[in-house]
Amino acid sequence: MTEKNSLYQHFRPDEKLFLEKIEEFIRKVEDSYFIQVTDFLDPRQVYVAKILLTTRGITYYVSSDYYEMEYAKIIISPPSPFYEMDFSDFGISLLNINYNDKFNQLTHAQILGTLIHTLGIKRTVIGDIIVKKGQAQLLIDSKMVSYFKNNIHKIGRSSVSLTEDSLENLLEADEFNESVDILTSSLRADNIIASVLKVSRTVAMKLISAEKVKINYMVINKTSEMISVNDIISVRGYGRFIIASDNGLSKQKKHKLTIIRKVHK
């Protein structure tokens, strides 16, 4: 088995195309000695890319190492002294969404829906959407700033205007991580969801069948989907969690898992 196939077998089959895209970035850097910058990546993609880049011995920088953000960009670069990191090379801009919150409070879903479904903007040029009472911000690809400011005037029922701001003024997300230990009879998606959410397995199966469950940001519809360490599971209406570690089997032969849940403050 080649080194490449040996590495790929540790990831899900549906992640192969993403791994090959990162491999293409690596080849371009090695051939040209110019940096390559990814689009915004979800946390799972960042995790996968970092493993691949580290394994290949490639120099890289992740925007979330410099500012708190869930979605991040990666700079893949030739080694020093051929490149010195400059944060502006990530091409990330912060926009404030200004609106009157007296009668309406913007939600994450409203903002994302307007951007993707109404304007047809690709998810990959949008980073985090931060929403607090009366405040909302967007992290976006810097090349899209003018387009956003000129074309986004209404979200939901609210008239809005967008103003660019310094990343130093990035709002802190209203959530924190909570570590929890659980027992589950198997590593199937339905069993783990039932154990984490404290619902019956029947309810967990219905959530999956209704396509309300995502693993690593992709919708699943098979209750028998197997879960692995570092997988990110989100359940619509219940939040999301990551499998932090598999701590072996209990005396009753159940899997002892540590999960990390995102909890709103």
Side-chain angles (χ1 to χ4, degrees), residues 205 207-211 213 218-225:
M205 293 171 73
L207 288 168
I208 294 171
S209 298
E211 298 189 342
V213 176
M218 298 188 68
V219 174
I220 66 165
N221 51 30
K222 292 194 303 181
T223 58
S224 60
E225 190 86 26

Side-chain angles (χ1 to χ4, degrees), residues 101-113:
D101 66 329
K102 185 175 181 180
F103 301 108
N104 293 298
Q105 174 66 43
L106 291 182
T107 67
H108 187 286
Q110 284 177 324
I111 297 169
L112 187 60

Side-chain angles (χ1 to χ4, degrees), residues 153-165:
H153 305 294
K154 191 163 188 172
I155 297 176
R157 297 180 179 180
S158 300
S159 296
V160 303
S161 64
L162 305 184
T163 53
E164 193 168 2
D165 203 346

Side-chain angles (χ1 to χ4, degrees), residues 7-218:
L7 177 63
Y8 280 22
Q9 72 175 347
H10 295 290
F11 301 104
R12 293 179 176 274
D14 54 25
E15 292 174 324
K16 182 180 178 181
L17 285 177
F18 175 72
L19 287 161
E20 290 178 344
K21 186 174 183 178
I22 299 299
E23 292 273 18
E24 178 62 24
F25 282 147
I26 292 172
R27 285 192 290 272
K28 287 181 179 179
V29 170
E30 291 177 335
D31 290 344
S32 68
Y33 267 61
F34 285 108
I35 65 169
Q36 295 290 314
V37 185
T38 70
D39 290 328
F40 281 103
L41 307 178
D42 63 48
R44 172 66 182 186
Q45 291 174 320
V46 171
Y47 168 77
V48 170
K50 287 169 70 173
I51 290 178
L52 176 58
L53 293 164
T54 300
T55 301
R56 296 283 189 265
I58 303 299
T59 303
Y60 66 90
Y61 305 90
V62 185
S63 61
S64 54
D65 289 339
Y66 301 88
Y67 291 93
E68 186 70 29
M69 57 183 72
E70 180 179 5
Y71 286 76
K73 286 189 173 190
I74 297 179
I75 293 174
I76 303 169
S77 76
S80 180
F82 299 100
Y83 175 74
E84 294 297 329
M85 211 290 291
D86 184 337
F87 189 87
S88 65
D89 290 335
F90 283 110
I92 297 175
S93 293
L94 174 65
L95 293 179
N96 289 315
I97 303 176
N98 310 299
Y99 71 103
N100 187 338
D101 66 329
K102 185 175 181 180
F103 301 108
N104 293 298
Q105 174 66 43
L106 291 182
T107 67
H108 187 286
Q110 284 177 324
I111 297 169
L112 187 60
T114 296
L115 297 179
I116 293 180
H117 302 301
T118 304
L119 294 179
I121 294 169
K122 292 182 179 179
R123 183 65 178 91
T124 53
V125 302
I126 308 166
D128 290 8
I129 299 172
I130 306 102
V131 176
K132 289 193 170 188
K133 184 172 176 55
Q135 296 176 287
Q137 291 181 329
L138 284 171
L139 288 174
I140 67 168
D141 189 299
S142 296
K143 297 189 294 292
M144 300 294 292
V145 169
S146 294
Y147 181 83
F148 274 53
K149 291 170 70 174
N150 292 331
N151 289 278
I152 300 173
H153 305 294
K154 191 163 188 172
I155 297 176
R157 297 180 179 180
S158 300
S159 296
V160 303
S161 64
L162 305 184
T163 53
E164 193 168 2
D165 203 346
S166 167
L167 281 166
E168 302 298 330
N169 295 322
L170 182 64
L171 293 172
E172 182 181 350
D174 276 338
E175 60 184 19
F176 63 93
N177 292 334
E178 177 185 64
S179 180
V180 180
D181 292 326
I182 66 166
L183 291 174
T184 182
S185 57
S186 82
L187 297 179
R188 284 170 46 126
D190 54 353
N191 278 302
I192 289 180
I193 289 169
S195 297
V196 173
L197 302 184
K198 293 180 170 54
V199 298
S200 69
R201 189 167 160 228
T202 300
V203 169
M205 293 171 73
K206 287 181 178 179
L207 288 168
I208 294 171
S209 298
E211 298 189 342
K212 293 184 178 181
V213 176
K214 292 182 180 180
I215 297 179
N216 300 325
Y217 296 85
M218 298 188 68

